[in-house]
Amino acid sequence: MDLAKQANSFSTTITQEQIDVINDFFIEPIKWDEVKHGEKKMLDQNISVVFLAAKGAEEWKNLLEAHQKFYDLHCTIEGIDVIVSTPMADCKNVKTEYNEEADYILFNEEPTQSMNVPAGSFCLITPADAHMALYGDCGFVRKVVFKIPLQ
């Protein structure tokens, strides 16, 4: 898990073309009254963006997800998101087997790392980490998550 103030900081992991798509997304302000929590929109370069507006929840405690085909680039717009993780290699307790179409597996694992992601910050999650955002009692958060295909 890496934290940065701009998407360009991840240029060693994601391509410049992918970074350009993300930066272009932010040219127009997000109209939160026109999107629903969990709504997904396709962008260029096979990148999708998911809109999230919710409070953290205890129900996600010790539940981690991981991906094989996509990076997750979380960007907090309002509030302070709390993202936790554990290296995938250390995850042994599978809750939901890998779903290839949706590209996720769920684990019942205690996180080993926690990161606060304040408004205006990006957090890149690679397939090497199982993770969960909006963790615990982090309060209300508006954020977007870019699903970026591995190259």
Side-chain angles (χ1 to χ4, degrees):
M1 258 185 344
D2 293 313
L3 187 67
K5 284 293 196 182
Q6 54 187 352
N8 296 351
S9 300
F10 302 113
S11 62
T12 59
T13 306
I14 57 179
T15 68
Q16 187 58 52
E17 290 82 8
Q18 292 169 325
I19 290 169
D20 291 344
V21 170
I22 292 159
N23 289 336
D24 288 349
F25 172 83
F26 287 109
I27 290 173
E28 296 290 324
I30 299 169
K31 296 176 182 167
W32 289 102
D33 57 334
E34 295 179 11
V35 294
K36 295 179 184 155
H37 174 74
E39 185 175 329
K40 189 175 190 178
K41 177 181 175 185
M42 285 304 299
L43 306 175
D44 292 336
Q45 296 288 317
N46 205 25
I47 296 172
S48 62
V49 62
V50 180
F51 300 88
L52 301 171
K55 285 185 176 183
E58 288 296 321
E59 69 188 85
W60 305 117
K61 191 170 174 97
N62 298 335
L63 181 66
L64 304 176
E65 71 169 352
H67 310 287
Q68 293 181 9
K69 300 176 188 175
F70 292 87
Y71 298 110
D72 273 1
L73 182 61
H74 296 248
C75 180
T76 305
I77 307 298
E78 177 185 321
I80 301 174
D81 191 10
V82 175
I83 302 178
V84 297
S85 70
T86 294
M88 255 292 276
D90 296 341
C91 293
K92 307 293 184 231
N93 300 307
V94 175
K95 177 180 172 72
T96 303
E97 293 292 332
Y98 180 68
N99 178 323
E100 188 169 350
E101 184 178 331
D103 186 42
Y104 76 90
I105 184 172
L106 295 178
F107 296 98
N108 285 318
E109 295 288 341
E110 197 166 315
T112 58
Q113 183 180 9
S114 178
M115 185 175 292
N116 288 344
V117 184
S121 298
F122 291 87
C123 181
L124 182 68
I125 310 288
T126 70
D129 287 316
H131 65 283
M132 184 56 66
L134 296 170
Y135 198 78
D137 188 21
C138 66
F140 184 78
V141 174
R142 287 188 201 273
K143 65 184 284 180
V144 291
V145 180
F146 297 95
K147 302 289 190 175
I148 304 169
L150 301 176
Q151 294 295 314

